[in-house]
């Protein structure tokens, strides 16, 4: 599902009065989440999950074409940990 399809879904469920308002609101939500994560903060939504920035350790990788070992440096990534209620629904 794309961001535009998600906004359309919210409009169809009656959350927003217009598709344009739905798209603008979804943009604001995702921009706010992005800004929060870029500042090093985490986002916790009870019973759903947690988004947080984690630092991945350097490691050795392998070039799939040549088989040559390549050093992969430290980098940041976003990690999602689902909440218990969400996991229960999945299973």
């Amino acid at each position: 599902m794309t961001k535009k399809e998600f906004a359309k879904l919210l409009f169809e469920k009656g959350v927003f009065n217009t598709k344009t308002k739905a798209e603008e609101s979804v943009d604001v939500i995702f921009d706010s989440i992005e800004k929060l994560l870029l500042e090093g903060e985490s986002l916790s939504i009870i019973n759903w999950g947690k988004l947080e920035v984690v630092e991945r350790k350097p490691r050795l990788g392998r070039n799939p074409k040549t088989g040559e070992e390549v050093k992969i440096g430290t980098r940041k990534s976003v990690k999602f940990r689902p909440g218990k209620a969400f996991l229960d629904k999945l299973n």
Side-chain angles (χ1 to χ4, degrees):
M1 176 176 281
T2 65
K3 187 165 59 168
K4 192 167 190 162
E5 291 169 339
F6 182 61
K8 183 180 176 188
L9 176 70
L10 293 175
F11 166 71
E12 289 170 352
K13 287 188 174 241
V15 177
F16 297 102
N17 296 332
T18 65
K19 286 183 184 179
T20 304
K21 184 66 177 168
E23 288 176 9
E24 290 171 357
S25 298
V26 168
D27 284 339
V28 168
I29 291 167
F30 284 110
D31 288 345
S32 299
I33 291 171
E34 180 180 302
K35 183 179 178 189
L36 189 72
L37 292 172
L38 287 173
E39 292 173 352
E41 299 289 326
S42 62
L43 174 67
S44 294
I45 301 172
I46 295 174
N47 293 326
W48 188 73
K50 181 177 183 178
L51 286 168
E52 63 185 330
V53 176
V54 294
E55 192 165 301
R56 299 184 70 183
K57 295 178 183 177
R59 61 189 175 93
L60 281 179
R62 199 169 286 280
N63 181 333
K65 192 170 188 178
T66 64
E68 177 185 350
E69 283 192 348
V70 179
K71 289 184 182 180
I72 301 171
T74 302
R75 66 185 203 123
K76 292 182 180 181
S77 184
V78 176
K79 182 178 182 179
F80 174 71
R81 286 196 280 176
K84 184 178 180 340
F86 185 51
L87 281 174
D88 290 344
K89 288 179 184 178
L90 281 175
N91 294 311

